[in-house]
Coordinates of all heavy atoms in Angstrom, one line a residue:
M9 N 97.1 7.8 157.7 CA 98.1 7.6 158.6 C 98.0 8.7 159.7 O 97.7 9.9 159.4 CB 99.4 7.7 157.9 CG 100.6 7.3 158.7 SD 102.0 7.2 157.6 CE 102.9 5.9 158.3
L10 N 98.3 8.4 160.9 CA 98.2 9.3 162.0 C 99.5 10.1 162.2 O 100.6 9.6 162.0 CB 98.0 8.5 163.3 CG 96.6 7.8 163.4 CD1 96.5 7.0 164.7 CD2 95.5 8.8 163.3
D11 N 99.3 11.4 162.5 CA 100.5 12.2 162.7 C 100.8 12.4 164.2 O 100.0 13.0 164.9 CB 100.2 13.6 162.0 CG 101.4 14.5 162.0 OD1 102.5 14.0 162.3 OD2 101.2 15.7 161.8
P12 N 101.9 11.9 164.7 CA 102.2 11.9 166.1 C 102.3 13.4 166.6 O 102.0 13.6 167.8 CB 103.4 11.1 166.3 CG 103.9 10.8 164.9 CD 102.9 11.1 163.9
T13 N 102.8 14.3 165.8 CA 103.0 15.6 166.3 C 101.6 16.3 166.5 O 101.5 17.1 167.5 CB 103.8 16.5 165.3 OG1 103.2 16.5 164.1 CG2 105.2 15.9 165.2
A14 N 100.6 16.0 165.7 CA 99.3 16.6 165.9 C 98.7 16.0 167.2 O 98.0 16.7 167.9 CB 98.4 16.2 164.7
F15 N 99.0 14.7 167.5 CA 98.5 14.1 168.7 C 99.0 14.8 169.9 O 98.3 15.2 170.9 CB 98.8 12.6 168.7 CG 98.3 12.0 170.0 CD1 97.0 11.7 170.2 CD2 99.2 11.6 170.9 CE1 96.6 11.1 171.3 CE2 98.8 10.9 172.1 CZ 97.5 10.7 172.3
V16 N 100.3 15.1 169.9 CA 101.0 15.8 171.0 C 100.5 17.2 171.2 O 100.2 17.6 172.3 CB 102.5 15.7 170.9 CG1 103.2 16.6 171.9 CG2 103.0 14.3 170.9
Q17 N 100.3 17.9 170.1 CA 99.8 19.3 170.1 C 98.4 19.3 170.7 O 98.0 20.2 171.5 CB 99.8 19.9 168.8 CG 101.2 20.3 168.3 CD 101.2 20.9 166.9 OE1 100.3 20.7 166.2 NE2 102.3 21.6 166.6
A18 N 97.6 18.3 170.3 CA 96.2 18.2 170.8 C 96.2 18.0 172.3 O 95.4 18.5 173.0 CB 95.4 17.2 170.0
L19 N 97.0 17.1 172.7 CA 97.1 16.8 174.1 C 97.5 18.0 174.9 O 96.9 18.3 176.0 CB 98.1 15.7 174.4 CG 97.6 14.3 174.6 CD1 98.6 13.2 174.5 CD2 96.9 14.2 175.9
N20 N 98.5 18.7 174.5 CA 99.0 19.9 175.2 C 97.9 21.0 175.2 O 97.7 21.7 176.2 CB 100.2 20.5 174.5 CG 101.4 19.6 174.8 OD1 101.4 18.8 175.7 ND2 102.4 19.7 173.9
A21 N 97.2 21.2 174.1 CA 96.1 22.2 174.0 C 95.0 21.8 175.0 O 94.4 22.7 175.6 CB 95.6 22.4 172.6
T22 N 94.6 20.6 175.0 CA 93.6 20.1 175.9 C 94.0 20.3 177.4 O 93.2 20.8 178.2 CB 93.2 18.7 175.6 OG1 92.9 18.5 174.3 CG2 92.1 18.2 176.5
R23 N 95.2 20.0 177.7 CA 95.7 20.1 179.1 C 95.7 21.6 179.5 O 95.2 22.0 180.5 CB 97.1 19.5 179.2 CG 97.5 19.6 180.7 CD 98.9 19.0 180.9 NE 99.4 18.0 179.9 CZ 100.4 18.2 179.1 NH1 101.0 19.4 179.1 NH2 100.8 17.3 178.3
D24 N 96.1 22.5 178.6 CA 96.2 23.9 178.9 C 94.7 24.4 179.1 O 94.5 25.2 179.9 CB 96.8 24.7 177.8 CG 98.3 24.4 177.7 OD1 98.9 23.9 178.7 OD2 98.9 24.7 176.7
H25 N 93.8 24.0 178.2 CA 92.4 24.4 178.3 C 91.8 24.0 179.7 O 91.1 24.7 180.3 CB 91.6 23.9 177.2 CG 90.2 24.2 177.3 ND1 89.7 25.5 177.1 CD2 89.1 23.4 177.5 CE1 88.4 25.5 177.2 NE2 88.0 24.2 177.5
V26 N 92.0 22.7 180.0 CA 91.5 22.2 181.3 C 92.1 22.9 182.5 O 91.4 23.2 183.4 CB 91.7 20.6 181.4 CG1 91.3 20.1 182.7 CG2 90.8 20.0 180.3
Y27 N 93.4 23.1 182.5 CA 94.0 23.7 183.6 C 93.7 25.2 183.7 O 93.9 25.8 184.8 CB 95.5 23.6 183.5 CG 96.0 22.2 183.9 CD1 97.3 21.8 183.6 CD2 95.2 21.3 184.5 CE1 97.8 20.5 183.9 CE2 95.7 20.0 184.8 CZ 96.9 19.6 184.5 OH 97.4 18.4 184.9
S28 N 93.2 25.8 182.7 CA 92.9 27.2 182.7 C 91.6 27.5 183.6 O 91.4 28.6 184.0 CB 92.6 27.8 181.3 OG 91.4 27.3 180.8
A29 N 90.9 26.5 184.0 CA 89.7 26.6 184.8 C 90.0 26.5 186.3 O 89.1 26.7 187.1 CB 88.6 25.6 184.4
R30 N 91.2 26.2 186.6 CA 91.6 26.1 188.0 C 91.6 27.4 188.7 O 91.9 28.4 188.1 CB 92.9 25.4 188.1 CG 92.9 24.0 187.5 CD 94.3 23.4 187.6 NE 94.8 23.3 189.0 CZ 95.7 22.5 189.4 NH1 96.2 21.7 188.6 NH2 96.1 22.6 190.6
P31 N 91.3 27.5 190.0 CA 91.4 28.7 190.7 C 92.7 29.4 190.8 O 92.8 30.6 190.9 CB 90.9 28.4 192.1 CG 90.5 26.9 192.1 CD 90.9 26.3 190.8
D32 N 93.8 28.6 190.7 CA 95.1 29.2 190.8 C 95.8 29.3 189.4 O 97.0 29.5 189.3 CB 96.0 28.3 191.7 CG 96.1 26.8 191.2 OD1 95.3 26.5 190.3 OD2 97.0 26.1 191.6
A33 N 94.9 29.4 188.4 CA 95.5 29.6 187.0 C 96.0 31.0 186.9 O 95.6 31.9 187.5 CB 94.3 29.4 186.0
P34 N 97.1 31.1 186.1 CA 97.7 32.5 185.9 C 96.7 33.4 185.2 O 96.0 32.9 184.3 CB 98.9 32.2 185.1 CG 98.7 30.9 184.5 CD 97.8 30.1 185.4
V35 N 96.7 34.6 185.6 CA 95.8 35.6 185.0 C 96.6 36.6 184.1 O 97.6 37.1 184.6 CB 95.0 36.4 186.1 CG1 94.1 37.4 185.5 CG2 94.2 35.4 187.0
V36 N 96.1 36.7 182.9 CA 96.8 37.7 182.0 C 96.0 38.9 181.9 O 94.8 38.9 181.6 CB 96.9 37.1 180.6 CG1 97.5 38.0 179.6 CG2 97.7 35.8 180.6
P37 N 96.5 40.1 182.3 CA 95.7 41.3 182.3 C 95.4 41.7 180.9 O 96.1 41.5 180.0 CB 96.7 42.3 183.0 CG 98.0 41.8 182.8 CD 97.9 40.3 182.7
D38 N 94.2 42.4 180.8 CA 93.8 42.9 179.5 C 94.7 44.1 179.1 O 95.1 44.9 179.9 CB 92.3 43.4 179.6 CG 91.4 42.3 179.8 OD1 91.7 41.2 179.4 OD2 90.3 42.6 180.3
R39 N 94.9 44.1 177.8 CA 95.7 45.2 177.2 C 94.9 46.5 177.2 O 93.7 46.5 176.9 CB 96.1 45.0 175.8 CG 97.1 43.9 175.7 CD 97.7 43.7 174.3 NE 96.6 43.8 173.3 CZ 96.9 44.0 172.0 NH1 98.1 44.1 171.6 NH2 95.9 44.0 171.1
V40 N 95.5 47.6 177.5 CA 94.8 48.9 177.5 C 94.8 49.4 176.0 O 95.8 49.4 175.4 CB 95.6 49.9 178.4 CG1 94.9 51.3 178.3 CG2 95.7 49.4 179.8
R41 N 93.6 49.7 175.6 CA 93.4 50.1 174.2 C 93.9 51.6 174.0 O 93.5 52.5 174.7 CB 92.0 50.1 173.8 CG 91.8 50.3 172.3 CD 90.4 50.3 171.8 NE 90.1 50.4 170.4 CZ 90.6 51.3 169.6 NH1 91.4 52.2 170.0 NH2 90.2 51.4 168.4
R42 N 94.8 51.7 173.1 CA 95.3 53.1 172.8 C 94.4 53.7 171.7 O 94.0 53.0 170.7 CB 96.7 53.0 172.3 CG 97.7 52.6 173.3 CD 99.1 52.6 172.8 NE 99.2 51.7 171.6 CZ 100.2 51.8 170.7 NH1 101.1 52.7 170.9 NH2 100.2 51.0 169.7
T43 N 94.2 55.0 171.8 CA 93.5 55.6 170.7 C 94.4 55.9 169.6 O 95.5 56.4 169.8 CB 92.8 56.9 171.1 OG1 93.8 57.8 171.7 CG2 91.7 56.6 172.2
G44 N 94.1 55.5 168.4 CA 95.0 55.7 167.2 C 94.6 56.9 166.5 O 93.6 57.6 166.8
R45 N 95.4 57.2 165.5 CA 95.2 58.4 164.6 C 93.9 58.2 163.8 O 93.3 59.2 163.4 CB 96.4 58.6 163.7 CG 97.6 59.0 164.5 CD 98.7 59.4 163.5 NE 98.9 58.3 162.5 CZ 99.6 58.4 161.4 NH1 100.1 59.6 161.1 NH2 99.8 57.4 160.6
G46 N 93.5 57.0 163.5 CA 92.4 56.7 162.6 C 91.1 56.6 163.3 O 90.0 56.4 162.6
D47 N 91.0 56.7 164.6 CA 89.8 56.6 165.3 C 88.7 57.6 164.9 O 87.6 57.2 164.7 CB 90.0 56.6 166.8 CG 90.7 55.3 167.3 OD1 90.7 54.4 166.6 OD2 91.1 55.3 168.5
P48 N 89.0 58.9 164.8 CA 87.9 59.8 164.4 C 87.4 59.5 163.0 O 86.2 59.6 162.7 CB 88.6 61.2 164.4 CG 89.8 61.0 165.4 CD 90.2 59.6 165.2
L49 N 88.3 59.1 162.1 CA 87.9 58.7 160.8 C 87.0 57.5 160.8 O 86.0 57.4 160.1 CB 89.1 58.4 159.9 CG 88.9 58.1 158.4 CD1 88.1 59.2 157.7 CD2 90.2 57.7 157.7
R50 N 87.3 56.5 161.6 CA 86.5 55.3 161.7 C 85.1 55.6 162.3 O 84.1 55.1 161.8 CB 87.2 54.3 162.6 CG 88.4 53.7 162.0 CD 89.1 52.7 162.9 NE 88.3 51.5 163.0 CZ 88.5 50.5 163.8 NH1 89.5 50.6 164.6 NH2 87.7 49.5 163.9
R51 N 85.1 56.5 163.2 CA 83.8 56.9 163.8 C 83.0 57.6 162.8 O 81.8 57.4 162.7 CB 84.1 57.8 165.1 CG 82.8 58.0 165.9 CD 83.1 58.7 167.2 NE 84.1 57.9 168.0 CZ 85.3 58.3 168.3 NH1 85.7 59.5 167.9 NH2 86.1 57.6 169.1
L52 N 83.6 58.5 162.0 CA 82.9 59.3 161.0 C 82.3 58.3 159.9 O 81.2 58.5 159.5 CB 83.8 60.3 160.4 CG 83.2 61.2 159.3 CD1 82.2 62.1 159.8 CD2 84.3 62.0 158.6
A53 N 83.2 57.4 159.5 CA 82.7 56.4 158.5 C 81.6 55.6 159.0 O 80.6 55.3 158.3 CB 83.9 55.5 158.1
A54 N 81.6 55.2 160.3 CA 80.5 54.4 160.9 C 79.2 55.2 160.9 O 78.2 54.6 160.6 CB 80.9 53.9 162.3
V55 N 79.3 56.4 161.3 CA 78.1 57.3 161.3 C 77.5 57.4 159.9 O 76.3 57.3 159.7 CB 78.4 58.6 162.0 CG1 77.3 59.6 161.7 CG2 78.7 58.5 163.4
A56 N 78.4 57.7 158.9 CA 77.9 57.9 157.6 C 77.3 56.6 157.0 O 76.2 56.6 156.4 CB 79.1 58.3 156.7
L57 N 77.9 55.4 157.3 CA 77.3 54.2 156.8 C 76.0 53.9 157.5 O 75.1 53.3 156.9 CB 78.3 53.0 157.1 CG 79.6 53.0 156.1 CD1 80.5 52.0 156.6 CD2 79.1 52.8 154.7
R58 N 75.9 54.2 158.8 CA 74.6 54.0 159.5 C 73.5 54.8 158.9 O 72.4 54.4 158.7 CB 74.8 54.3 161.0 CG 73.6 54.1 161.8 CD 73.3 52.7 162.1 NE 72.2 52.2 161.2 CZ 71.9 50.9 161.0 NH1 72.7 50.0 161.5 NH2 71.0 50.6 160.2
R59 N 73.8 56.1 158.5 CA 72.8 57.0 157.9 C 72.4 56.4 156.6 O 71.2 56.5 156.2 CB 73.4 58.4 157.8 CG 73.4 59.1 159.2 CD 73.9 60.5 159.0 NE 74.0 61.1 160.4 CZ 74.7 62.2 160.6 NH1 75.4 62.8 159.7 NH2 74.7 62.7 161.8
V60 N 73.4 56.0 155.8 CA 73.0 55.4 154.5 C 72.2 54.2 154.6 O 71.2 54.0 153.9 CB 74.3 55.1 153.7 CG1 74.0 54.3 152.4 CG2 75.1 56.4 153.3
A61 N 72.5 53.3 155.6 CA 71.7 52.1 155.8 C 70.3 52.4 156.2 O 69.4 51.8 155.8 CB 72.4 51.2 156.8
D62 N 70.1 53.5 157.1 CA 68.8 53.8 157.5 C 68.0 54.4 156.3 O 66.8 54.2 156.3 CB 68.9 54.9 158.6 CG 69.3 54.2 160.0 OD1 69.1 53.0 160.1 OD2 69.7 55.0 160.9
R63 N 68.6 55.1 155.4 CA 67.9 55.6 154.2 C 67.5 54.4 153.3 O 66.4 54.4 152.8 CB 68.7 56.6 153.5 CG 68.7 57.9 154.1 CD 69.5 58.9 153.2 NE 69.5 60.2 153.8 CZ 68.7 61.2 153.3 NH1 67.9 61.0 152.3 NH2 68.7 62.4 153.9
V64 N 68.4 53.5 153.1 CA 68.1 52.3 152.2 C 67.0 51.4 152.9 O 66.1 51.0 152.2 CB 69.4 51.5 151.9 CG1 69.1 50.3 151.2 CG2 70.4 52.4 151.2
E65 N 67.2 51.1 154.1 CA 66.2 50.2 154.8 C 66.1 50.7 156.2 O 66.9 50.4 157.1 CB 66.8 48.8 154.8 CG 65.8 47.8 155.3 CD 66.3 46.4 155.2 OE1 67.1 46.1 154.4 OE2 65.8 45.5 156.0
P66 N 65.0 51.5 156.5 CA 64.8 52.1 157.8 C 64.6 51.0 158.8 O 64.1 49.9 158.6 CB 63.5 52.9 157.6 CG 63.3 53.1 156.2 CD 64.0 51.9 155.5
R67 N 65.0 51.3 160.1 CA 64.8 50.3 161.2 C 63.3 50.3 161.6 O 62.7 51.3 161.6 CB 65.6 50.8 162.4 CG 67.1 50.6 162.1 CD 67.8 50.9 163.4 NE 68.8 51.9 163.2 CZ 69.7 52.4 164.1 NH1 69.6 52.0 165.3 NH2 70.6 53.3 163.8
R68 N 62.8 49.1 161.8 CA 61.5 49.0 162.3 C 61.4 48.2 163.6 O 62.4 47.5 163.9 CB 60.7 48.2 161.3 CG 60.5 48.9 160.0 CD 59.6 48.1 159.0 NE 60.2 48.4 157.7 CZ 60.5 47.4 156.8 NH1 60.3 46.2 157.1 NH2 61.0 47.7 155.7
A69 N 60.3 48.4 164.3 CA 60.2 47.7 165.6 C 60.0 46.2 165.3 O 59.4 45.8 164.3 CB 59.0 48.2 166.4
C70 N 60.6 45.4 166.1 CA 60.5 43.9 165.9 C 59.1 43.5 166.2 O 58.6 43.7 167.4 CB 61.6 43.2 166.7 SG 61.6 41.5 166.5
S71 N 58.5 42.8 165.3 CA 57.1 42.4 165.6 C 57.0 40.9 165.7 O 55.9 40.3 165.6 CB 56.2 42.9 164.4 OG 56.6 42.3 163.2
T72 N 58.0 40.2 166.0 CA 58.0 38.7 166.1 C 57.3 38.2 167.4 O 56.9 37.1 167.4 CB 59.4 38.1 166.0 OG1 60.2 38.7 167.0 CG2 60.0 38.4 164.6
A73 N 57.3 39.1 168.4 CA 56.6 38.7 169.6 C 55.1 38.6 169.5 O 54.5 37.9 170.3 CB 57.0 39.7 170.7
A74 N 54.5 39.2 168.5 CA 53.1 39.2 168.3 C 52.6 37.9 167.7 O 51.4 37.7 167.7 CB 52.6 40.4 167.5
I75 N 53.5 37.1 167.2 CA 53.1 35.9 166.5 C 52.7 34.8 167.4 O 53.1 34.6 168.5 CB 54.2 35.4 165.5 CG1 54.4 36.4 164.5 CG2 53.9 34.0 164.9 CD1 55.6 36.1 163.5

């Protein structure tokens, strides 16, 4: 059985998507990223994980172009 509310929602979503390509479409500015308290911890964790990954499986030059 067809759901009429899904049809209406699909129509509205398609219309919004098509109209977003128009030159006079409204523009939403990007949000400015705030630095949080956990940023240094995330950076430290990323560096540590990268070092562990390099020890487990070192990076090699890609040799697929030679085939």
